[in-house]
Amino acid sequence: MKLFSALTILAVAAAGPAFAEGKCATGPKSKWQPKSALETQLQADGFKVRQIKVEGGCYEVYATDKDGKRANMAYNAETLEKLDNAEAGEN
């Protein structure tokens, strides 16, 4: 039973990056939301945006929150959905 549990954990851990990659935009750039829309959304949430980069169908955001703490986040470029993995577009 311990062996089965260990193998299950390893399988899930190995598949993790593949799940994150699937959340980035896969359509043409013409369907992407503008960076300015994401920046406006983040500012409304109290973030001060330093930079937004394109990384493999995701917008990677470097910002600071209202307390001045740094934040590194990734968003789907089509839907502006926040992704769990801040490095999602780099794989």
Side-chain angles (χ1 to χ4, degrees), residues 19-42:
F19 292 140
E21 284 182 283
K23 292 186 178 182
C24 289
T26 56
K29 286 189 176 185
S30 62
K31 296 194 178 212
W32 289 12
Q33 298 290 323
K35 288 181 189 179
S36 59
L38 178 57
E39 186 169 6
T40 299
Q41 174 183 319
L42 291 167

Side-chain angles (χ1 to χ4, degrees), residues 3 6 9 17-18 20 25-26 29 31 38 41 45 54-55 57-58 69 71 73-74:
L3 177 60
I9 291 170
T26 56
K29 286 189 176 185
K31 296 194 178 212
L38 178 57
Q41 174 183 319
D45 290 339
V54 174
E55 292 283 347
C58 286
K69 185 177 175 185
M73 303 167 283

Side-chain angles (χ1 to χ4, degrees), residues 50-63:
R50 295 181 311 154
Q51 182 181 20
I52 299 176
K53 296 186 340 183
V54 174
E55 292 283 347
C58 286
Y59 287 139
E60 187 169 338
V61 178
Y62 298 92

